[in-house]
Amino acid sequence: MIAETVCSAVSAAGLGIAVVTAYRKRFLAAARLAAYALVPVGLVMTGVVGWLSDTALSPTAWAGFGVLGAAWLLFAGTRAVERRRAGTGAERGAAGRDAVAPAASAPPLGGRARPAAGPATTPRTAPSRGAGAEPAEDFSDIEAILKKHGI
């Protein structure tokens, strides 16, 4: 009974503010305020407010929320443990190389295909961008970042 009275008062106040806003020639804002103001009355009329007040005072409902929270914590915890167990360092690198064919990650830019011999072990040098030099298509930086994040 109190919830219905509060909702009616909130709606009446919202409609009053909408009228003042319309008086100031801001009709779009007034219509939006009126729409928001009618929501509490609509919730009371459909019975949602009564259902919520019954649920808020029910120990069984709160126990159900507790069970749902525990289930969510279990899901989140197992996901975190699964991510940590994915391996570190060499294990993760070996798993990443075995999971996808070496040539499958090469982008099809310019029709050139990357050799399938595996990752290069020589240190990378800065590509020369002088006159007549073709820019190098080296995506090792991007691949390293993606592997670091497990993608």
Side-chain angles (χ1 to χ4, degrees):
M1 187 70 171
I2 293 175
E4 288 86 357
T5 305
V6 170
C7 286
S8 298
V10 167
S11 289
L15 289 173
I17 293 170
V19 168
V20 170
T21 305
Y23 180 74
R24 293 180 180 172
K25 306 281 189 217
R26 297 183 62 207
F27 298 112
L28 185 62
R32 190 175 296 125
L33 282 170
Y36 283 125
L38 292 174
V39 169
V41 170
L43 291 174
V44 168
M45 294 174 80
T46 58
V48 172
V49 173
W51 177 80
L52 283 176
S53 64
D54 290 341
T55 303
L57 301 176
S58 170
T60 306
W62 283 107
F65 286 128
V67 168
L68 289 174
W72 181 83
L73 285 174
L74 284 172
F75 281 127
T78 56
R79 180 70 176 153
V81 169
E82 190 176 71
R83 283 187 177 191
R84 286 185 184 241
R85 282 193 183 169
T88 58
E91 294 174 4
R92 192 176 349 181
R97 283 191 297 269
D98 294 340
V100 178
S105 63
L109 297 175
R112 291 186 288 169
R114 183 180 292 179
T121 57
T122 60
R124 203 180 97 192
T125 60
S128 63
R129 304 227 183 231
E134 184 178 306
E137 296 285 336
D138 190 11
F139 293 101
S140 62
D141 296 345
I142 297 170
E143 289 177 3
I145 291 170
L146 292 174
K147 285 181 183 178
K148 177 182 173 186
H149 292 289
I151 299 174

